[in-house]
Amino acid sequence: MMHAVVSVDGFIADPEDQVGPLFDWYGNGESPLGDDGGFRVSKASADYTRPLWDSLGVTVMGRNLFDYTNGWDAKPPAGEHVVVVSHRPRPADWHPEASHYHFATDVPEAIAKAKELAAGRTVALTAGDIGGQAFALGLVDVVAMDVAPVFFGKGKRYFGSADAQQLLEDPHVVIQGNRVLHLQYRVRTA
């Protein structure tokens, strides 16, 4: 599953990697997400997001996002493992106790490692260049978007630089939250 919050014009961040108001819906509701209570969303968004996060075993992300978030300080936001696609090794001084973070040199290797680690649970790919590469290689079965009513005009594209045309099925999940529309599409295989 490829997943991200996205603007109505298809961007996951502005050109400087800033998400601006894309994530505002994480703080505009009455229902807490996660154990720390930091995110509070509408009931509809919570009812959608909690089971989705609970189903995740592994997240595959690119090195840019890893560096930008500092790997979420060695605490995956969902799931038990993270696989980082990078041609650079794991930073030597970065959380040596974080054995649940793995590094792979390309997308197919990362997906294979993630499937092994997931033990039957869902593998989530972050959108952007890594997700777009996996999508172009036919390694994505579901496209999930949390569409925020924001227009960026330019920035980091949901599908990265992927330019292969691919049809999706009709959305099989459509849920309206406060300031967000949750959508899921199965990737058409034939």
Side-chain angles (χ1 to χ4, degrees):
M1 167 187 289
M2 184 171 149
H3 180 250
V5 180
V6 62
S7 67
V8 294
D9 57 340
F11 298 103
I12 58 174
D14 71 16
E16 288 77 42
D17 280 331
Q18 300 299 307
V19 296
L22 281 180
F23 286 22
D24 285 357
W25 67 275
Y26 278 121
N28 69 7
E30 66 286 348
S31 299
L33 278 181
D35 297 332
D36 65 1
F39 295 133
R40 299 191 71 77
V41 298
S42 68
K43 182 174 180 344
S45 289
D47 289 348
Y48 167 76
T49 305
R50 278 191 206 117
L52 177 65
W53 286 3
D54 289 347
S55 74
L56 300 181
V58 180
T59 297
V60 177
M61 66 190 298
R63 184 60 180 259
N64 185 54
L65 183 58
F66 174 84
D67 289 343
Y68 185 77
T69 64
N70 191 31
W72 300 296
D73 291 321
K75 296 176 194 105
E80 297 165 5
H81 295 274
V82 173
V83 179
V84 180
V85 180
S86 178
H87 295 292
R88 293 179 283 141
R90 173 189 177 124
D93 59 346
W94 183 81
H95 297 282
E97 77 286 355
S99 61
H100 49 284
Y101 276 68
H102 312 270
F103 284 71
T105 58
D106 62 31
V107 170
E109 177 189 347
I111 299 296
K113 181 67 173 176
K115 285 181 178 179
E116 172 191 323
L117 293 167
R121 295 179 71 198
T122 301
V123 171
L125 294 120
T126 59
D129 287 333
I130 297 304
Q133 289 175 45
F135 185 78
L137 290 168
L139 299 173
V140 173
D141 57 353
V142 173
V143 171
M145 300 175 156
D146 299 321
V147 183
V150 177
F151 180 86
F152 277 155
K154 59 184 174 179
K156 308 290 181 170
R157 294 175 39 199
Y158 180 92
F159 289 98
S161 59
D163 61 3
Q165 185 178 22
Q166 174 69 43
L167 291 177
L168 305 176
E169 297 296 339
D170 288 337
H172 64 279
V173 174
V174 179
I175 297 172
Q176 182 177 344
N178 293 345
R179 306 286 301 154
V180 65
L181 180 63
H182 307 285
L183 300 171
Q184 287 189 22
Y185 301 87
R186 288 187 182 90
V187 177
R188 191 173 284 183
T189 57

